[in-house]
Amino acid sequence: MPDLRRRSWLVVVTAVLAAVCSLALAPLVFSALGTGGAAATGTEAERAGRQAERLGVLGPDLVLALSGRPAAGLEEGAQDVVRALSARKEVKAVWSAQTARDPWLRSLDGRTVLVEARLAGSDEERKEAARDVVAAARSAAPALRVEPSGGAWANREIDEAIKRDLSRAELLAAPALFVILVFAYGSVVSALLPVMVAVLAVSCTLPLLGLLTLAVEIPRPAVNTAAAIGLGLAVDYSLFLLARFREELGRCGDRESALRAALHSSGRMIAFSAAAIAACLAAAMVVPVPLLRGLSMAGMVTAVLAALVALTVLPACLRLLGPRIDLWDPLRRWRRGGTGDGSRFWRRTAHAVTARPVLAGGLAVLVLALLAMPFTSARLGLVDERTLPPSASVVKVAERVRAGFAAPPERLLTVVVTGPRAAAEAGDYARHLAGIKDVTDVRVVRKISGKAAASPGGQAAVLALATGVAPDTRAAEDVVRAVRDASAPGAVAVGGRAAEVADTREAVLDALPLCLLVPAVALLLLLGSYTRTIVAPLKALVVGVVSLGGSLGAIVVLFQDGRGNELLGGFKAAGSLDASTLLFVLFITLALSVDYEVFLLGRIREEYLRSGDNRAAIVDGIAHTGRLMTSAAAAVAISTAAMGTSEVALLKMIGIGIALGALVDAVLVRGVLVPAVMAALGPANWWTPTRLPTRWLTARKEKGDG
């Protein structure tokens, strides 16, 4: 025992030192994080942007709206701003209506002009430089009102909002979460254990995310996501391990033997759960969207670290605390038994469900189908400044630009045509494109002949095409398709915001089959290895997919259609859902579903190996895990739903989506649908096609070893 105590102290001290060092590195990590590109990479839109840039036509990432004087004064002020910004090293190019001979940069009423700038450096560097550039523009035209918008400024505003929201969400969630933990864990001391596991896991995640930024872009929302997921999984893992420890302690009375038995059973479940969650999130890596990949990598790292800390630091704390683990239980007099005791409510529920499995399962599927129906009208888009509240300055400026200009920057398409007749026939081509529905105007921006054209035929042309529709609508997608299909004097590449949205949607849909196949195969292999059966993993996968419907349908209603958005802070619904955020919520919800399935299936299997009675095993498994899963789901819901207080709709969508998914899965799916399906299947749950696993299962049953 002295050796075990010394070893336990070493584990705890090492973990604390690792966390302290990780937190010390946090400022460096935050500075390395980016916004995470929401648009897919390797698309035609991206290629068109690069080609246009090589031909000297740059797209703006900072748009300055100048107003406050008569038209003549505005033009002079715009020229002053252009001269001032041209001298700055952060500015790659800057232009106005007069310098670019672009009438689209003047408002329809003549009271506002736009100065557009392309900043130098990476996305992160452009975002950081935007503030100084805006300050320089205001100094150059002090008598004018200079209001910024554009991608770089929107990313900066989003990042600042995320920083503020992270601290506020944690403060709001902490009191309610701690009450749940005290109720679930049985004492104040034991309720602090999952908090410790979460702090260690999330803090140690930070330097790993910093290292990952050397290879891939990790977005700043990944920190919020890692914190919420880390806390939720820490609660799950700690609760199930501690509950099993107390149950084993009640059987044998020896703390060390109880801890070893708990690690043998629940510890194995935790390891399989972390592997399953990582497998679900790894599927996102086949989607070529940097934001989704960054969020998923943060979730994978946090899941693995949460399991590692729970399996090392938590047992060490249990050894060091001894009986003091049960100190300060304010609810002692109202408790009917320990955390690991069977729940009367869930036992009665399981009895009722397994007595009429077809009826109960059918009703559960009907409810889930009704909840999922809105998802059939989901429309994928890209995140922009509208993820901020309507009161944000960048949102107001962008709205005024949309309403007051004939060709707002976001409604422009960049068309690059290369070939032997590209420059010569650019005018005719522009007139042809002007006849496409919803195209309001077309300009030939540049015509190039010779080597500078960088085309096989020695000619190239860049056209700017104005549309009258928002870039994330079906009408804009139709315009992009019509431009790409139109006959042209050479090879055509179409870029712009609408093209980015259309290409990202197509890239996501193209990757979706493989994206779903990867976690399906991984989960079947993991759960098959865990249960030594084939039917149970197949059932778990099907039920996991069915359980996604409730949260995804709610996301469409709340964040695409905007119904009831006043309850979530009054954000403005964009009419579409960011593709990467929606997929991330889908994968993490599936991962949590598998997490609960592993613990429930593991317990039912143990009971079946002891008794050989399928229905009794289901009832006992639900009775022993029902209260634990609902407590764990409530903790996950609180920790993630706190993100719903964010000013950033993207974070709201992640937090609310995960919270709803956790609650629906733990209560309706695990409490009703799973026992109904398993009761209907009967002994077929444990069928295996070969004799070896059957003999293994029989031997385990005779030993009573779970």
Side-chain angles (χ1 to χ4, degrees), residues 102-340:
D102 185 354
W104 292 346
L105 298 181
R106 294 187 186 93
S107 65
L108 296 173
D109 60 8
R111 297 179 181 178
T112 305
V113 296
L114 298 181
V115 173
E116 298 181 340
R118 178 65 175 266
L119 305 182
S122 64
D123 288 344
E124 182 66 19
E125 290 169 340
R126 294 200 296 268
K127 180 190 65 181
E128 294 299 326
R131 177 168 50 187
D132 295 336
V133 173
V134 171
R138 287 170 172 163
S139 298
L144 297 179
R145 185 170 64 179
V146 179
E147 298 175 298
S149 63
W153 192 259
N155 288 339
R156 179 182 174 276
E157 294 283 301
I158 292 170
D159 275 4
E160 290 186 351
I162 289 174
K163 289 179 183 178
R164 294 192 303 267
D165 296 343
L166 179 60
S167 300
R168 183 174 68 239
E170 291 172 346
L171 290 175
L172 289 174
L177 182 59
F178 193 71
V179 171
I180 293 291
L181 294 178
V182 171
F183 174 80
Y185 283 77
S187 72
V188 172
V189 173
S190 59
L192 291 172
L193 292 178
V195 177
M196 175 201 65
V197 173
V199 170
L200 292 175
V202 174
S203 60
C204 291
T205 297
L206 294 178
L208 293 178
L209 293 180
L211 290 175
L212 288 173
T213 59
L214 300 176
V216 295
E217 184 177 4
I218 302 296
R220 198 173 295 275
V223 177
N224 304 64
T225 304
I229 293 174
L231 182 56
L233 292 180
V235 170
D236 280 1
Y237 297 160
S238 303
L239 179 56
F240 281 95
L241 185 59
L242 182 60
R244 193 54 181 264
F245 166 71
R246 285 173 169 165
E247 184 178 337
E248 297 293 342
L249 183 61
R251 290 178 181 172
C252 66
D254 179 69
R255 305 189 72 84
E256 186 59 33
S257 299
L259 181 56
R260 289 176 179 171
L263 286 172
H264 178 71
S265 55
S266 292
R268 185 167 173 263
M269 295 180 190
I270 290 171
F272 271 93
S273 172
I277 291 173
C280 289
L281 294 177
M285 303 308 292
V286 305
V287 183
V289 178
L291 176 60
L292 175 60
R293 290 178 173 178
L295 291 173
S296 299
M297 292 183 76
M300 291 165 61
V301 171
T302 307
V304 173
L305 284 178
L308 182 62
V309 174
L311 293 175
T312 55
V313 180
L314 184 57
C317 290
L318 290 175
R319 287 191 178 100
L320 294 175
L321 288 172
R324 292 186 294 275
I325 189 70
D326 296 320
L327 288 178
W328 304 333
D329 181 4
L331 304 175
R332 184 185 300 274
R333 68 176 62 184
W334 293 286
R335 296 187 188 276
R336 295 181 178 178
T339 306

Side-chain angles (χ1 to χ4, degrees), residues 69-76 106 110-111 113:
R69 279 186 176 182
L74 283 177
E75 295 292 347
E76 293 176 1
R106 294 187 186 93
R111 297 179 181 178
V113 296

Side-chain angles (χ1 to χ4, degrees), residues 476-492:
E477 187 177 357
D478 292 339
V479 173
V480 173
R481 187 181 300 109
V483 172
R484 288 173 174 171
D485 292 342
S487 60
V492 173

Side-chain angles (χ1 to χ4, degrees), residues 25 50 80 209 235 239 330 413 418 441 468 499 514 528 532 538 549 581 620 642 654 690 704:
L25 295 172
R50 290 197 304 266
D80 292 338
L209 293 180
V235 170
L239 179 56
L413 292 178
T418 56
D441 200 358
L514 180 59
R532 306 285 178 168
L538 287 171
T581 306
D620 288 339
I654 293 175
T690 60

Side-chain angles (χ1 to χ4, degrees), residues 177 180 235 596 628-640 662-663 666:
L177 182 59
I180 293 291
V235 170
Y596 297 143
L628 300 179
M629 283 195 297
T630 49
S631 298
V636 170
I638 290 173
S639 63
T640 55
L663 291 175

